[in-house]
Amino acid sequence: MANFDLHSHSCYSDGTLTPAALVARAAQRGVTALALTDHDCTDGLVAAHIAAVEHHIRLIDGVEISVSWRGHTLHIVGLDIVPTAPALQGGLAAIRGARSARAREMAAAFDAMEIPGTLAGALRLAENPELISRTHFARFLVQQGVVKDMSAAFRRFLGAGQPCFVALEWASLADALRWIESSGGLSVVAHPGRYPLDTALMRELLAEFSDLGGAAIEVVTSSHKPQQYRVFAEHARHFGLAASAGSDFHSPQESYHDFGTLPALPSGCVPVWEKLQ
Ligand code: AMP
Ligand code: MN
Ligand code: MN
Ligand code: MN
């Protein structure tokens, strides 16, 4: 039986495995179709495809785009994109540039708290100097013993409202969906249960997403508790959206759901993979 995992990260963004190691791990753990969805970057896809042939696994070209919507950061996954599409690449390059500027500001905030060397430390942990993430700062803080784990790094320093958080205006929802559509892909709201939106605002988001041509929302994801699977399955049904499933795997040490351990979609969902080419 097919086993889809449509959300994962390699070292081209804030995962720790190379695309080849990621694909090998997914295949060994029973995933038969994997989407590599690095944050704001598609450079890992070439190596992932080569590994996918070797490991007899289907590799779906993906990306996870950082978006600002009404003051909230959202993540929109693009599936089955053509990575070379110019509008998509132009948009992603702009986001990566903004990430680098934000990283310098975050480092200045750490300096002000007498925690030096964070930019160099984060860059050392980022295999792709073009894609610097809060995750790399968090790993550096753990490595230095400033905090005991990743979650403490976000709780104390990097999370929204914490002293080293630097707000960034990411892509607009409309732009992200336009880039994905113009590259032939399907748009998916990543881990909707993670956003601090009440039900009314969640409905506004999903209505707008659906009007803009969005295809699906993640129903089964590591970010959701089992009781949220039903809640988001119902949202999907209400808005005529398909349902996606992905581990959001980042690292063997840090990920809540390893490959091959995702539960099935709740009954009644239209799986987004039925819409993939
Ligand atoms: P960025 O896109 O650079 O703002 O970083 C966001 C990334 O940080 C997410 O994609 C997650 O991988 C990671 N992240 C966010 N919150 C947490 C948390 N509380 N604990 C661990 N990792 C987190
Ligand atoms: Mn991440
Ligand atoms: Mn995400
Ligand atoms: Mn992700």
Side-chain angles (χ1 to χ4, degrees), residues 67-276:
V67 161
S68 293
W69 183 81
R70 302 205 195 170
H72 296 280
T73 295
L74 309 179
H75 287 170
I76 303 294
V77 163
L79 295 177
D80 235 355
I81 52 165
V82 173
T84 51
L88 175 69
Q89 284 307 329
L92 298 182
I95 297 177
R96 292 194 299 271
R99 282 182 170 280
S100 295
R102 179 187 67 157
R104 290 190 290 275
E105 283 186 60
M106 289 195 291
F110 278 111
D111 287 345
M113 296 187 79
E114 295 181 16
I115 302 171
T118 55
L119 184 58
L123 276 170
R124 208 158 50 236
L125 294 173
E127 306 268 342
N128 176 6
E130 276 229 334
L131 196 295
I132 179 95
S133 153
R134 283 186 291 163
T135 312
H136 301 114
F137 281 84
R139 288 196 187 118
F140 175 71
L141 296 177
V142 174
Q143 209 179 59
Q144 295 298 109
V146 176
V147 289
K148 69 172 193 324
D149 57 24
M150 299 287 285
S151 118
F154 281 86
R155 219 170 37 243
R156 284 180 50 198
F157 297 106
L158 292 161
Q162 299 313 306
C164 301
F165 176 77
V166 174
L168 189 51
E169 190 65 23
W170 303 102
S172 72
L173 185 63
D175 279 350
L177 266 67
R178 208 165 37 73
W179 300 337
I180 291 168
E181 210 211 325
S182 73
S183 72
L186 298 175
S187 296
V188 183
V189 177
H191 43 62
R194 224 162 82 182
Y195 312 128
L197 309 177
D198 63 19
T199 304
L201 205 52
M202 179 58 70
R203 289 197 178 128
E204 283 189 48
L205 167 64
L206 297 180
E208 193 174 324
F209 175 76
S210 170
D211 286 347
L212 288 167
I217 63 176
E218 286 182 352
V219 168
V220 169
T221 147
S222 296
S223 298
H224 287 174
K225 299 189 179 76
Q227 61 266 32
Q228 289 176 296
Y229 301 158
R230 275 262 141 237
V231 172
F232 287 98
E234 175 50 27
H235 277 301
R237 193 200 58 76
H238 182 82
F239 289 95
L241 295 164
S244 189
S247 60
D248 205 358
F249 182 89
H250 280 72
S251 148
Q253 284 77 38
E254 293 163 11
S255 290
Y256 182 65
H257 269 293
D258 205 330
F259 290 125
T261 67
L262 286 178
L265 287 172
S267 60
C269 287
V270 177
V272 69
W273 45 88
E274 289 181 1
K275 297 175 186 285
L276 296 174

Side-chain angles (χ1 to χ4, degrees), residues 44-63:
L45 292 169
V46 174
H49 273 288
I50 293 168
V53 171
E54 183 184 336
H55 294 283
H56 309 288
I57 179 174
R58 176 175 169 197
L59 195 277
I60 293 149
D61 286 315
V63 67

